[in-house]
Amino acid sequence: MNKNISSAFTKFILLSLGICTLLSCKKAFDLQTEDALEASQTYRNVYDADAAILGIYGKFVGLADKYILLNELRADLLDVTPNANAYLKQLGTQTVAADNPYADPKPFYEVILNCNDALKNFNIMRQNKLLDNNQYYQRYTDILFLRSWLYLQLGIHYGSVPYVTDALSNIEDLKDESKFRKITFEELLSKLISETEATPKEFLNQNTSSSSPTLILPMETYVIKDGVFKFFIQRRSLLGDLNLWKGDYLKAASYYKDVIETGTNQSTNADQQVDVFDTYRVSDDNSADHSLKTTAVINPWTNIFAAPLADRIANWERMWTLPLNGNFAPGNSLLSMFSVSSNYLVKPSALSINNWNAQIRTDGSLTDRRGLNMSYRLNTNQPEVLKFTQNYNSILPFEKTGIWIVYRAAILQMRYAEAANRLDRSVLAGALINNGIWGTFTTKSTYNGVADTYPFNFDGTNTGAFRGNWYRNSGIRGRAVNQNVLINQANIVVDTEDKIIQEEALETAYEGYRWQDLLRVALRRQTTDPNYLANKIAAKFEAAGDFSSASTARSRLADKNNWYLPFKLK
């Protein structure tokens, strides 16, 4: 793959997003009247449609810091520093007031209304034959799924929210509850699933260089491993997530399995054959240039977060990746939030560090190599999240580029394992979080003594004469070179689920998954373990010796109503 083309693409995307942001993406997504298409003439052809998509993504990138804070600081792995203001402290201690700017849902709704405007105009363009069916569905589906992702986040954090699909001209209209009543999280999930699953099946597949917006069409040298299409939302993974939240575990597992098998469905030319065994499979082939395994002297696992956008091996793991750049507004807000050399507002919690220090490697030594100098580092003896600050320090203060990995293979496999576990496939779930398919089954995955069927069929056979597509799968802990966790067979489903959530803390700390995963389990266990969420959050403060905050958090979260933020549009 031509590195110059890769670099050019990255710079083009950054420049495009930057220009859209600097100009408020006026032509792309200003909200006008009901006749926006005719009045502004901004949706005249497919290129205008693509400009709208870029503009929406440009604004979406501005949610990165809010997404991380809401999902990590509210949970157990991130804590505030002495530099944090009172509003951040409220987030961290579960005492959020209605006037807290970090709890304002307005930034999410601003992007949602941009999506509504684009969807309305894509429909008009199709009616006027300005977009053919293929052009229409690729663009409409992408923005529909992005809007659904935004609504899922609103439901997770606020519980009941207004569900608006109209192209409103003024966001202030949302404050009229007589027109836009709040619906429950359950109602919201049903609507999101119904709308997204109505998409024709051929357009549920992820965008590739041949079907994504035309601004990428000239880049025909890009193939699936190069990460170009990963700029756009991962469609089937979102469908899996929606159904996982809804409790339809079979549908969730099926959508996840479709995505996990991406490598199987790739072309098999000589340049790509190795990707069949590696794409999204959390794999290892024991060679220095084909691994993210933590055994190397220079630990390659960190390349997931630091390698260039088009890095082949990193893109076996990355699934939805957006560029961040300090040269364009809103800049790389994650740097100022996490870096000791900048504002340094939040830091790794003592609990998150303890989690890594307590792990036992396969050689019997302590400490998970995904922890120190991988997920976090000590910068002037202060713990700093490294996943977002690797390219920024006091020596290189002007290097402010970065990436926001919104979704990756490890979280995909752990959520698949979560669904499979609830369908009596606890052994399979354990295989994926421990030492992999071959390490557990040595051949095909089995259920009740026979080879399992879709979506639970995995082939880890490695006889030399035949290699199944999953023979390199090393498992999440196997890739980290940690010993398997033992699962209590007497309470296998609950204990396997606990081990999945524990592994999620070790593998994906600070990335934005934590609160939502804890909340989902808490909702599932309301009758059997009503204090699950309260105890998880209180443990963060207990690890730091702050027993007063631990008591406050445990008391507040004992009431389910306090699991959600106050909903108030500023």
Side-chain angles (χ1 to χ4, degrees), residues 112 185 194 199 235 339 478 569:
I112 284 171
F185 192 14
S194 176
T199 302
R235 297 177 183 179
S339 177
L569 286 165

Side-chain angles (χ1 to χ4, degrees), residues 40-56:
S40 64
Q41 292 298 300
T42 56
Y43 288 89
R44 297 162 297 183
N45 52 47
V46 68
Y47 302 102
D48 287 344
D50 291 340
I53 291 173
L54 259 187
I56 290 169

Side-chain angles (χ1 to χ4, degrees), residues 211-448:
S211 59
S212 57
T214 51
L215 63 96
I216 294 175
L217 283 179
M219 303 295 186
E220 288 300 332
T221 55
Y222 281 94
V223 287
I224 203 165
K225 63 184 170 58
D226 293 319
V228 173
F229 76 92
K230 297 180 183 187
F231 178 82
F232 304 101
I233 186 170
Q234 236 292 338
R235 297 177 183 179
R236 289 183 182 268
S237 294
L238 175 64
L239 289 170
D241 288 348
L242 290 172
N243 281 283
L244 185 64
W245 278 98
K246 191 66 173 174
D248 193 332
Y249 301 119
L250 184 58
K251 281 174 65 176
S254 299
Y255 283 124
Y256 291 140
K257 186 63 156 59
D258 288 347
V259 183
I260 290 172
E261 294 290 352
T262 294
T264 303
N265 301 321
Q266 288 179 208
S267 63
T268 55
N269 60 55
D271 187 41
Q272 282 188 271
Q273 283 216 350
V274 67
D275 294 353
V276 171
F277 302 107
D278 295 303
T279 300
Y280 304 163
R281 297 194 199 273
V282 185
S283 63
D284 172 57
D285 69 354
N286 295 313
S287 63
D289 61 340
H290 288 105
S291 180
L292 292 168
K293 201 169 184 177
T294 66
T295 51
V297 175
I298 300 176
N299 193 336
W301 186 79
T302 191
N303 289 339
I304 296 170
F305 314 100
L309 285 175
D311 184 86
R312 181 184 188 184
I313 296 174
N315 276 306
W316 292 339
E317 177 73 16
R318 297 170 180 168
M319 298 174 63
W320 184 14
T321 308
L322 292 167
L324 301 171
N325 190 284
N327 294 325
F328 303 118
N332 187 348
S333 57
L334 301 182
L335 282 179
S336 61
M337 190 164 69
F338 287 113
S339 177
V340 169
S341 302
S342 188
N343 294 334
Y344 190 49
L345 302 175
V346 290
K347 65 180 181 180
S349 71
L351 179 65
S352 71
I353 294 173
N354 292 346
N355 288 340
W356 286 304
N357 291 343
Q359 301 309 303
I360 303 175
R361 292 174 60 77
T362 54
D363 62 6
S365 61
L366 283 174
T367 305
D368 193 319
R369 285 201 69 195
R370 293 169 294 181
L372 184 61
N373 296 326
M374 291 294 109
S375 294
Y376 80 99
R377 66 180 166 193
L378 295 177
N379 188 344
T380 62
N381 291 321
Q382 299 180 86
E384 173 187 81
V385 171
L386 186 57
K387 288 180 176 178
F388 303 109
T389 61
Q390 294 194 63
N391 296 324
Y392 180 76
N393 54 50
S394 57
I395 300 173
L396 297 171
F398 302 109
E399 181 53 70
K400 297 181 179 179
T401 58
I403 55 175
W404 176 20
I405 302 174
V406 194
Y407 214 91
R408 63 184 181 95
I411 200 69
L412 169 71
Q413 289 205 15
M414 285 187 281
R415 288 184 178 173
Y416 170 88
E418 186 182 328
N421 176 56
R422 287 284 166 173
L423 293 166
D424 200 28
R425 265 67 174 191
S426 299
V427 174
L428 173 59
L432 293 173
I433 64 169
N434 273 322
N435 63 343
I437 299 299
W438 184 88
T440 300
F441 299 104
T442 69
T443 179
K444 295 181 179 180
S445 56
T446 60
Y447 179 64
N448 290 336

Side-chain angles (χ1 to χ4, degrees), residues 137-156:
Y137 275 115
Q138 284 294 353
R139 288 153 183 79
Y140 190 94
T141 302
D142 188 81
I143 297 303
L144 174 67
F145 276 58
L146 184 65
R147 185 182 73 183
S148 298
W149 185 95
L150 291 163
Y151 268 122
L152 176 59
Q153 286 299 308
L154 287 170
I156 288 168

Side-chain angles (χ1 to χ4, degrees), residues 93-145:
T93 56
Q94 305 294 326
T95 56
V96 177
D99 66 344
N100 189 314
Y102 296 104
D104 183 7
K106 186 175 180 179
F108 286 92
Y109 275 103
E110 286 175 342
V111 185
I112 284 171
L113 294 187
N114 296 156
C115 291
N116 292 350
D117 184 68
L119 293 173
K120 184 195 76 170
N121 281 295
F122 290 165
N123 281 329
I124 296 172
M125 293 180 77
R126 184 190 187 197
Q127 293 167 7
N128 292 343
K129 301 189 184 307
L130 298 175
L131 294 176
D132 63 31
N133 270 359
N134 183 66
Q135 293 170 333
Y136 166 80
Y137 275 115
Q138 284 294 353
R139 288 153 183 79
Y140 190 94
T141 302
D142 188 81
I143 297 303
L144 174 67
F145 276 58

